[in-house]
Amino acid sequence: MQASVEISMYPFRDEPIPQISEFIDRLNEYEGIEVKTNVMSTQIFGDLSTIFFILQKEIDRAYGEGKASFVIKVLKGDVSGMLDE
């Protein structure tokens, strides 16, 4: 099933931007998903099981680097084309 996922990361540290940037950079390395980023969040589009596999791996890795909170929204279907309008 195709899905659209919006994710925001909130590291518990004085300088959160480097950890957020590294997380987004790692997401962009995966094939099979589309990643779009804005100042508020990151959107991921692709197969739901692929997205969840990637997020599980990368959130686990992020937790190894320090405490953080993630806010995730999931929508059925790929709405990536709607964001360009």
Side-chain angles (χ1 to χ4, degrees):
M1 168 192 339
Q2 292 296 301
S4 301
V5 174
E6 180 178 68
I7 184 168
S8 299
M9 178 185 189
Y10 302 97
F12 299 156
R13 54 175 58 179
D14 292 335
E15 295 294 328
I17 301 301
Q19 188 177 3
I20 294 168
S21 295
E22 290 170 13
F23 180 80
I24 294 168
D25 289 345
R26 289 194 303 265
L27 292 178
N28 279 303
E29 292 176 4
Y30 287 94
E31 294 184 19
I33 61 170
E34 180 181 359
V35 178
K36 293 185 178 184
T37 305
N38 61 45
V39 296
M40 296 297 294
S41 63
T42 298
Q43 293 82 37
I44 308 167
F45 309 95
D47 178 73
L48 182 63
S49 60
T50 301
I51 292 171
F52 278 1
F53 173 81
I54 291 167
L55 288 180
Q56 180 180 0
K57 182 176 179 178
E58 293 305 329
I59 289 172
D60 185 56
R61 183 172 175 180
Y63 285 159
E65 298 168 354
K67 293 183 179 180
S69 174
F70 289 88
V71 176
I72 301 172
K73 300 175 192 174
V74 182
L75 178 68
K76 182 179 179 183
D78 182 339
V79 298
S80 60
M82 297 172 136
L83 298 176
D84 297 331
E85 297 177 351

